[in-house]
């Protein structure tokens, strides 16, 4: 049987993958069994394949892991439905897509399992399309750049179609090529047919692709009124003539974010399915459940109007009008850069358009798989707390020689000098070596791309494209001339680059090392395939990845805006990037080099400036902090409307997003000044629990040695006054251990802040209060004091997690008043009432708080008047689960095994009421409206004492 080694290896890999367990990580023994069985099966067919190669490929796929997603959500008015639907509906679209991901796309099994889980999580947050009545759900999914968001929302769309959503609209960017690329992915992963030839799966054209072309894939009924052609966007005339049965089969449309096109889509649906709403007189679609997926949700769809309530911007208005025209509608935005979305005002309401696109139903973060080459791995990340810092991979090369060629600031009529900088020549040689090395590793019929992004002007891009094209042709001609000295010089340069750069990098990253002789054999063939294209609105070149899928396309893409958002460069290995931007989101979106690089990650290179590298490192830290905030607020159980998001601003002069997308954002300089950090998430490991309890005892003994504590006879609480900043930092904060997920309470950061303030003459006179509950609390001895333990039940809104305990709050609000003078309390009460004016509680009643709290209270503190509150928490509460996640014990249906056993000692929580600083330099953030107002919330705290 004639077959290439590459084909044989692929067949062996596909066979072995099907033998791995589908519900968990494979063990080494299971990998061995799958490899041996696959090799034996192919041998019986006359196909020989090297066992070690199969094992290496399979281990790479089987070892990939992916963490769970997490979400903040609001289930008010939402009815759980997915668990029942799983049992009584067919999930054919999803099952077909899952098989495609495993057998054709070759995703690691663990990644497909996580995708199954995360799409279930999102789908379950939407409403059941079969639910009667009027409903609307809006959510946001935060992924990472080039991390597989498209594949994720295709899986979600497949499940939505199975569940009963009959009109699925995908908004895909603002450019034709991105819309076309997304449509092709939808054709392959969901529809199963080529939309350039047919609108319906049962048309006579029979142009099956992707999931529809699999020998074991079902032919499922579906339709589309948009095509993967460059000009295949929604057209009302086409829709009228196509006669697609909307409502009886899933209809999937991939549409550009263009006001006129979206309005035409809405008008067409209203004309065919609209009825007059007797209450409002508006035309609405009553029984056709709509599902909108807004890809790159922070781009174009965000309301940039100065007056968002009465005069929204055009595209935002069109999307809201479409969604509001359906009585049953779900909207999910996808983005890697949510900086604009978090500044949407959740309170915006419009008579015709309804509320804005704030994700009030849920905000979910997706973790990328371990084989994702993302910002953290490329630029490094300094983490806080117990996590190890992430060191940057050795893939970045600095550019220093482009000032005379394409300066940072240049005009559209700039004439590029007739030379290529040495750094760009080196980058091109690196690309040639990468293409050759991939061939040497058996990756022959694959796509290879190089990105050159040095200017936003199309005329300048064309000049750069011509220069690079001439240089590539010169390299090819030199290599073709067997007897010239120029060839020997070029080969020596290439060999030196390989030995000095690629070999050490591959060894450092534990890659598949190749000798120079292996690479040299493929250089000529690799260079022969390389084409140079300009990719912009003025160029006629198009990246024909789909058309060249059988042989692979090797391309150097020179571009600007079109390459900066959404568009995927297949097989991208070398990037040459000079293009500065002034905002976080634009810079991150320009990072096309993020993504998955199976078996050639060590061959990738990013050529850029030191300044841009520093900017990316700063953005990486800010984005990571935002993601961790979402994860922590998810653990605490807050809803999107309750959650105040903040994004750290840049020390290098970058903005967060375009200023017109941040009209609802407030710039603040933020530290712990005026803050109330409090512990709500506890690590239940014995080491942490014992450490913190022993620390509490030693700290109380230290306080007793300094002064006599004042005992509250009613509660047994003990208060010490006149404690120095160093006693607080050295005696408590420096040694307190937090749960890894408790990112908002970082003792090391708090201690450093206290030290800096102390140098400025602030925070020098602390009051410490050890809270006690008498009578009623279980008595314990703490450094000779009899203290009644405080009870804090598990937060009803938080999931129960093994090894972690989450409460709503540790603070009893009245405790924050314990060190204030009568005059301070009076002013705090007046300020609290003033801040509450015009606000309503959750019952719709006017707020009239009696107890001072929040920032109005902390504004009354002198700069040297901080308060540390210590809470010894009853460990018995940990074992009292508010639900029974594990099966009941046999013969005793009432008793469920607790998720967490009772800890060996009381948990130690703390809260610090910081005064506002007059001196301390702060980190600047831009915060959304919720964050700014969240300390003005006056919902009654259920005091459990």
């Amino acid at each position: 049987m004639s077959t290439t080694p590459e084909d044989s290896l692929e067949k062996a890999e596909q066979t072995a993958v099907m033998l791995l367990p589908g519900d968990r990580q494979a063990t080494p023994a299971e990998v061995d069994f799958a490899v041996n069985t696959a090799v034996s099966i192919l041998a019986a067919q006359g196909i020989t394949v090297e066992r070690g190669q199969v094992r290496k490929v399979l281990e790479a796929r089987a070892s990939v892991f992916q963490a769970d997603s997490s979400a903040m959500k609001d289930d008010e008015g939402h009815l759980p439905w997915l668990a029942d639907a799983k049992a009584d509906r067919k999930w054919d679209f999803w099952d077909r897509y899952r098989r495609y991901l495993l057998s054709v796309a070759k995703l690691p099994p663990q990644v497909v399992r996580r995708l199954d889980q995360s799409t279930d999580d999102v789908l379950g947050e939407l409403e059941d399309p079969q639910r009667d009545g009027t409903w609307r759900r809006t959510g946001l999914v935060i992924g990472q750049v080039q991390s597989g968001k498209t594949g994720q929302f295709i899986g979600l769309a497949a499940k939505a179609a199975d569940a009963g959503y009959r009109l699925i609209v995908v908004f895909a960017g603002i450019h034709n090529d991105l819309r076309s690329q997304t449509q092709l992915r939808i054709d392959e992963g969901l529809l199963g047919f080529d939309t350039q030839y047919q609108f319906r799966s049962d048309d006579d054209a029979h142009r099956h692709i992707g999931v529809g072309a699999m020998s074991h894939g079902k032919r499922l009924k579906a339709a589309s009124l948009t095509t993967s052609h460059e000009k295949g966007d929604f057209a009302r005339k086409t829709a009228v003539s196509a006669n697609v049965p909307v409502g009886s089969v899933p209809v999937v449309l991939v549409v550009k974010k263009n006001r006129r096109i979206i309005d035409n889509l809405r008008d067409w649906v209203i004309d065919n399915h609209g009825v007059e709403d007797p209450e409002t007189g508006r035309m609405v679609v009553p029984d056709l459940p709509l599902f909108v997926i807004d890809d790159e949700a922070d781009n174009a769809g965000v309301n940039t109007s100065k007056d968002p309530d009465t005069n929204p911007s055009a595209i935002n208005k069109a999307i809201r009008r479409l969604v509001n025209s359906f009585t049953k509608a779900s909207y999910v935005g996808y983005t890697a850069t949510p900086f604009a979305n978090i500044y949407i005002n959740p309170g915006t309401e419009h008579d015709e358009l309804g509320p804005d696109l704030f994700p009030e139903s849920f905000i979910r973060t997706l973790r990328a798989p371990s084989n994702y080459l993302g910002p953290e791995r490329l630029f490094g990340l300094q983490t806080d707390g117990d996590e190890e810092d992430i060191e940057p991979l050795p893939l970045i090369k600095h550019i220093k020689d482009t000032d005379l060629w394409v300066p940072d600031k240049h005009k559209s009529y700039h004439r590029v000098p007739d030379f290529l900088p040495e750094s760009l020549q080196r980058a091109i040689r690196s690309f040639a070596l990468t293409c050759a090395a991939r061939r040497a590793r058996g990756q022959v019929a694959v796509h290879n791309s190089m990105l050159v992004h040095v200017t936003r002007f199309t005329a300048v891009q064309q000049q750069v494209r011509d220069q690079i094209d001439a240089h590539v042709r010169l390299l090819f001609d030199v290599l073709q001339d067997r007897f010239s000295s120029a060839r020997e010089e070029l080969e020596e340069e290439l060999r030196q680059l390989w030995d000095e750069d690629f070999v050490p990098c591959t060894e450092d990253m534990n890659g598949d090392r190749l000798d120079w002789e292996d690479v040299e054999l493929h250089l000529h063939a690799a260079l022969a395939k390389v084409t140079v294209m300009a990719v912009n609105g003025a160029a006629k070149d198009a990246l024909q990845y789909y058309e060249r899928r059988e042989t692979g396309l090797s391309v150097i893409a020179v571009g600007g805006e079109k390459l900066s958002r959404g568009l995927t460069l297949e097989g991208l290995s070398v990037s040459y990037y000079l293009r500065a931007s002034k905002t976080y989101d634009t810079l991150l979106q320009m990072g096309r080099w993020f993504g998955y690089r199976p078996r050639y990650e060590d061959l990738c290179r990013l050529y850029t400036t030191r300044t841009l590298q520093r900017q990316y490192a700063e953005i990486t830290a800010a984005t990571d902090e935002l993601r961790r905030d979402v994860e922590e607020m998810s653990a605490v159980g807050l809803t999107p409307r309750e959650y105040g998001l903040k994004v750290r601003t840049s020390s290098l002069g970058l903005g967060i997003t375009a200023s017109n997308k941040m009209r609802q954002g407030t710039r603040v300089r933020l530290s712990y000044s005026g803050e109330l950090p409090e512990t709500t998430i506890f690590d239940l490991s014995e080491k942490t629990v014992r450490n913190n309890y022993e620390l509490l005892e030693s700290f109380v003994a230290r306080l007793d040695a300094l002064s006599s504590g004042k005992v509250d006879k009613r509660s047994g609480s003990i208060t010490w006054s006149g404690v120095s900043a160093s006693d607080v930092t050295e005696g408590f904060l420096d040694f307190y251990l937090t749960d890894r997920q408790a990112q908002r309470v970082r003792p090391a950061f708090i201690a450093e802040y206290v030290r800096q303030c102390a140098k400025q003459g602030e925070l020098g006179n602390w009051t410490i209060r050890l809270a006690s509950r008498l009578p009623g609390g279980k008595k314990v001895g703490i450094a000779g004091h009899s203290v009644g333990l405080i009870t804090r039940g598990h937060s009803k809104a938080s999931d129960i997690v093994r090894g972690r305990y989450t409460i709503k709050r540790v603070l009893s609000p009245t405790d924050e008043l314990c060190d204030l003078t009568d005059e301070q309390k009076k002013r705090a009460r007046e300020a609290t009432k003033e801040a509450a004016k015009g606000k309503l509680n959750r019952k719709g009643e006017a707020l009239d708080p009696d107890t001072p709290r929040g920032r109005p209270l902390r504004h009354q503190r002198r700069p040297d008047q901080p308060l540390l509150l210590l809470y010894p928490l009853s460990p018995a509460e940990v074992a009292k689960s508010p639900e029974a996640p594990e099966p009941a014990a046999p013969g005793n249906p009432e008793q469920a095994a607790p998720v967490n056993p009772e800890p060996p000692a009381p948990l130690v929580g703390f809260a610090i009421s910081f005064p506002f600083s007059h001196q301390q330099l702060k980190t600047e953030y831009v915060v959304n409206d919720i964050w700014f107002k969240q300390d003005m919330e006056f919902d009654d705290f259920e005091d459990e004492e």
Side-chain angles (χ1 to χ4, degrees):
M1 182 177 292
S2 176
T3 182
T4 67
E6 187 179 10
D7 290 338
S8 301
L9 184 60
E10 182 173 334
K11 288 181 179 179
E13 180 187 358
Q14 288 181 352
T15 304
V17 164
M18 301 306 290
L19 297 169
L20 293 176
D23 59 345
R24 57 179 170 76
Q25 202 83 18
T27 65
E30 288 167 335
V31 172
D32 284 341
F33 172 77
V35 169
N36 294 334
T37 305
V39 171
S40 299
I41 290 173
L42 264 64
Q45 300 173 13
I47 301 175
T48 303
V49 61
E50 207 275 309
R51 195 181 306 267
Q53 281 188 308
V54 181
R55 176 176 282 103
K56 194 166 189 175
V57 171
L58 198 64
E59 283 176 343
R61 287 184 67 177
S63 65
V64 173
F65 65 90
Q66 184 173 9
D68 290 340
S69 65
S70 56
M72 296 180 294
K73 54 188 179 181
D74 185 351
D75 288 335
E76 184 177 353
H78 172 62
L79 296 180
W81 62 280
L82 187 56
D84 292 334
K86 283 282 187 180
D88 59 22
R89 300 180 202 180
K90 293 183 177 179
W91 299 88
D92 290 338
F93 280 101
W94 163 251
D95 187 59
R96 187 173 69 168
Y97 183 55
R98 183 185 63 81
R99 291 172 179 270
Y100 174 79
L101 293 177
L102 286 170
S103 62
V104 179
K106 299 182 184 177
L107 263 63
Q110 172 77 343
V111 172
V112 177
R113 287 196 294 275
R114 281 284 182 252
L115 191 142
D116 186 11
Q117 179 183 334
S118 63
T119 48
D120 270 0
D121 291 338
V122 176
L123 184 67
E125 290 302 323
L126 307 181
E127 217 55 65
D128 181 358
Q130 298 182 12
R131 178 183 172 183
D132 293 331
T134 298
W135 43 260
R136 165 185 166 130
R137 297 284 285 174
T138 55
L140 179 69
V141 177
I142 303 172
Q144 298 201 47
V145 177
Q146 299 286 91
S147 66
K149 294 188 301 298
T150 303
Q152 212 270 354
F153 72 62
I154 290 174
L156 178 61
K159 290 183 176 180
D162 286 325
Y165 281 95
R166 283 298 171 258
L167 182 59
I168 300 172
V169 178
V170 179
F171 290 123
I174 58 176
H175 295 299
N176 284 329
D177 50 3
L178 177 55
R179 192 214 65 82
S180 172
Q181 186 181 72
T182 304
Q183 176 83 57
L184 179 58
R185 295 281 303 276
I186 293 282
D187 291 358
E188 291 176 329
L190 177 58
L191 296 172
F193 59 86
D194 191 335
T195 50
Q196 293 198 29
Y197 296 93
Q198 59 192 96
F199 287 124
R200 295 166 54 168
S201 55
D202 54 359
D203 280 356
D204 295 334
H206 299 306
R207 298 297 288 260
H208 303 297
I209 62 173
V211 292
M214 294 190 300
S215 58
H216 53 286
K218 289 184 179 180
R219 301 279 191 261
L220 302 175
K221 289 186 177 181
S224 179
L225 294 169
T226 54
T227 82
S228 60
H229 190 275
E230 184 85 359
K231 298 181 179 179
D233 211 334
F234 179 83
R236 199 169 174 184
K237 182 178 179 182
T238 304
V240 170
S241 62
N243 192 29
V244 167
V246 180
S248 59
V249 300
V251 176
V252 186
L253 310 177
V254 184
V255 179
K256 246 191 349 280
K257 292 187 197 177
N258 176 283
R259 177 189 59 80
R260 185 174 291 105
I261 292 173
I262 299 170
D263 284 344
N264 284 342
L265 168 58
R266 174 187 173 273
D267 292 343
W268 170 73
V269 178
I270 289 290
D271 287 348
N272 286 275
H273 302 276
V275 299
E276 185 176 309
D277 184 338
E279 292 185 9
T280 65
R282 293 190 299 110
M283 296 296 289
V284 296
V285 180
D287 293 312
L288 182 63
L290 169 72
F291 180 32
V292 172
I293 295 174
D294 188 355
D295 191 18
E296 307 295 344
D298 62 307
N299 188 31
V302 173
N303 192 359
T304 58
S305 169
K306 291 182 179 179
D307 189 3
D309 286 315
T310 59
N311 185 29
S313 51
I315 297 176
N316 175 269
K317 183 188 299 184
I319 295 175
R320 288 165 65 186
R321 182 184 286 126
L322 173 69
V323 172
N324 206 37
S325 296
F326 289 73
T327 61
K328 303 176 181 181
S330 291
Y331 166 96
V332 177
Y334 275 78
T335 184
T337 49
F339 306 116
N341 303 82
I342 71 171
Y343 299 121
I344 296 173
N345 187 345
T348 298
E349 186 73 41
H350 191 278
D351 291 342
E352 178 191 359
L353 307 176
D356 207 341
L357 301 175
F358 179 79
E360 64 179 356
S361 302
F362 63 91
I363 300 176
R364 179 167 293 277
T365 61
L366 300 178
R367 288 291 194 103
S370 58
N371 61 337
Y372 169 68
L373 180 59
E376 294 88 352
R377 296 183 65 209
L378 195 58
F379 298 105
L381 177 67
Q382 290 190 339
T383 60
D384 309 310
D386 296 331
E387 293 189 36
E388 293 183 2
D389 291 350
I390 301 174
E391 295 298 326
L393 295 173
L395 305 178
I396 299 175
K397 306 298 173 186
H398 293 129
I399 299 172
K400 306 174 184 176
D401 56 356
T402 56
D403 288 345
L404 298 177
W405 182 60
V406 179
D408 281 347
K409 295 181 179 179
H410 58 274
K411 303 294 185 182
S412 60
Y413 49 79
H414 173 70
R415 299 302 304 171
V416 180
D418 189 22
F419 69 88
L420 278 183
E422 172 56 33
S423 59
L424 181 50
Q425 293 184 45
R426 184 181 177 92
I428 294 170
R429 292 196 293 270
S430 295
F431 182 58
L433 288 170
T434 295
C435 294
R438 293 192 70 192
R439 293 174 70 92
R441 287 177 177 174
Q443 298 177 322
V444 179
V446 295
H447 298 310
N448 292 285
S449 299
M450 175 177 173
L451 163 68
V452 178
H453 195 160
V454 297
T455 176
R456 66 187 177 93
F457 300 116
T458 56
V460 182
Q461 290 169 19
Q462 189 61 45
Q463 296 175 63
V464 172
R465 180 258 164 219
D466 293 343
Q467 280 191 337
I468 293 175
D469 184 63
H471 186 73
V472 171
R473 291 177 186 275
L474 175 63
L475 292 179
F476 178 76
D477 290 343
V478 169
L479 279 182
Q480 202 167 21
D481 189 348
R482 296 183 179 180
F483 305 106
S484 71
S485 59
R487 170 175 172 155
E488 292 180 4
E489 291 176 8
L490 177 58
E491 286 184 338
E492 182 55 35
E493 289 176 359
L494 290 168
R495 177 170 187 161
Q496 186 175 352
L497 179 58
W498 178 259
D499 289 339
E500 293 179 357
D501 183 7
F502 283 85
V503 171
C505 182
T506 295
E507 291 176 344
D508 187 59
M509 295 176 62
N510 298 316
D512 181 9
R513 173 172 174 163
L514 294 167
D515 293 327
W516 167 248
E517 291 73 20
D518 300 323
V519 178
E520 186 182 26
L521 286 173
H522 296 276
L523 266 173
H524 190 266
L527 262 176
K529 284 184 68 173
V530 174
T531 58
V532 186
M533 296 182 179
V535 182
N536 55 51
K540 295 181 180 180
D541 292 340
L543 296 171
Q544 298 179 321
Y545 291 123
Y546 181 69
E547 293 80 359
R548 298 280 291 277
R549 63 191 181 280
E550 298 297 333
T551 58
L553 175 69
S554 292
V555 61
I556 299 177
V558 181
E561 296 297 334
K562 275 201 172 186
L563 297 179
S564 69
R565 186 180 276 273
L567 192 66
T568 299
L569 294 173
E570 302 286 353
L572 178 63
S573 55
V574 178
S575 300
Y576 190 87
Y577 180 75
L578 290 177
R579 174 74 192 287
S581 174
K582 295 180 179 179
T583 64
Y584 284 8
D585 46 9
T586 303
L587 264 176
L588 269 180
Q589 290 291 350
M590 285 179 175
R592 299 291 93 195
W593 45 81
F594 305 128
Y596 302 97
R597 306 290 184 261
R599 294 184 61 214
Y600 67 101
E601 191 176 74
D602 59 310
L603 304 176
C604 296
R605 295 294 181 271
L606 169 59
Y607 286 79
T608 191
T609 65
R610 287 187 183 275
T611 298
L612 278 165
Q613 182 181 0
R614 285 196 298 269
Q615 289 180 344
Y616 271 106
E618 189 174 66
I619 297 168
T620 300
T623 307
D624 183 72
E625 183 177 10
L626 176 63
R627 176 182 57 77
R628 289 171 183 271
D629 273 357
V630 172
E631 289 174 355
E632 183 179 347
M633 293 303 98
S634 165
V636 174
L638 295 186
T639 69
R641 276 184 176 269
E642 292 172 325
Y643 177 49
L645 274 163
K646 69 184 191 301
V647 182
R648 186 194 306 181
T649 60
S650 168
S651 64
L652 301 175
L654 295 170
I656 293 170
T657 187
S659 58
N660 60 355
K661 295 180 182 178
M662 289 172 50
R663 300 193 192 281
Q664 305 303 316
T666 303
R667 188 175 293 271
V668 295
R669 294 180 68 82
L670 185 68
S671 64
Y672 290 101
S673 173
E675 290 289 294
L676 183 84
E678 58 177 315
T679 48
T680 57
I681 303 176
F682 296 88
D683 179 359
L684 297 179
S685 68
E686 183 174 350
K687 172 189 172 185
T688 299
V689 172
R690 289 196 183 280
N691 173 88
N692 290 344
Y693 189 63
E694 291 169 4
L695 174 65
L696 176 64
E697 289 196 299
S698 65
F699 185 46
V700 169
R702 179 174 183 149
L703 293 173
D704 280 337
L706 294 171
S707 64
S708 297
K710 182 179 180 181
V711 180
D712 183 329
K713 294 181 180 179
R714 183 184 65 84
S715 66
S717 298
I718 309 156
T719 304
W720 295 267
S721 303
V723 181
S724 70
S726 61
D727 283 317
V728 173
T729 55
E730 296 168 13
F732 185 74
L733 292 174
D734 284 345
F735 300 98
Y736 183 91
L737 299 179
T738 61
D739 185 273
R740 186 170 292 187
Q741 198 168 5
Q743 291 299 317
R744 284 196 161 191
V745 180
R746 308 175 186 178
F749 274 24
I750 297 173
E752 182 59 27
Y753 172 73
V754 171
R755 290 187 178 99
Q756 293 299 322
C757 285
K759 291 178 182 177
Q760 305 293 329
E762 297 183 337
L763 302 186
N765 185 15
W766 286 72
T767 297
I768 317 293
R769 182 181 178 90
L770 174 62
S772 171
R773 180 191 177 200
L774 294 176
K778 179 183 178 182
K779 290 185 180 181
V780 295
I782 300 179
H785 297 279
S786 180
V787 175
L789 295 180
I790 309 298
T791 56
R792 291 287 186 268
H794 192 286
S795 170
K796 296 182 177 68
S798 301
D799 293 333
I800 301 168
V801 178
R802 192 176 302 279
R804 177 177 294 139
Y805 190 62
T806 304
I807 62 178
K808 185 177 180 180
R809 294 195 71 182
V810 75
L811 175 79
S812 293
T814 53
D815 286 349
E816 201 176 358
L817 300 169
C818 72
D819 64 327
L820 298 185
T821 66
D822 291 341
E823 180 61 28
Q824 284 177 317
K825 291 177 184 177
K826 177 184 175 183
R827 291 199 304 266
R829 187 174 291 106
E830 292 171 352
T832 302
K833 287 181 176 291
E834 182 66 27
K837 282 184 178 179
K839 295 183 172 63
L840 305 176
N841 64 18
R842 290 179 180 176
K843 298 177 182 178
E845 302 164 340
L847 287 175
D848 186 20
D850 291 324
T851 303
R853 65 183 70 190
R855 294 189 176 196
L857 183 156
R858 293 189 286 281
H859 265 295
Q860 309 313 315
R861 292 189 174 279
R862 301 184 309 273
D864 68 338
Q865 193 185 7
L867 169 67
L868 169 60
L869 299 165
L870 303 168
Y871 292 93
L873 304 182
S874 171
E877 293 297 311
V878 174
K880 296 178 183 178
S881 301
E883 59 186 20
E886 294 189 5
N892 187 359
E894 298 297 325
Q895 182 181 354
V899 171
N900 290 304
E902 183 173 322
L907 304 181
V908 178
F910 72 85
I912 302 179
S913 182
F914 276 112
F916 282 81
S917 170
H918 295 170
Q919 304 290 335
Q920 174 64 16
L921 293 175
K922 308 173 183 71
T923 301
E924 189 172 69
Y925 290 81
V926 174
V927 301
N928 68 354
D929 195 52
I930 300 170
W931 186 96
F932 196 68
K933 295 176 180 176
Q934 68 181 351
D935 253 339
M936 298 297 108
E937 295 289 342
F938 299 95
D939 296 325
D940 291 335
F941 172 67
E942 298 174 4
D943 195 339
E944 300 176 68
E945 293 187 26

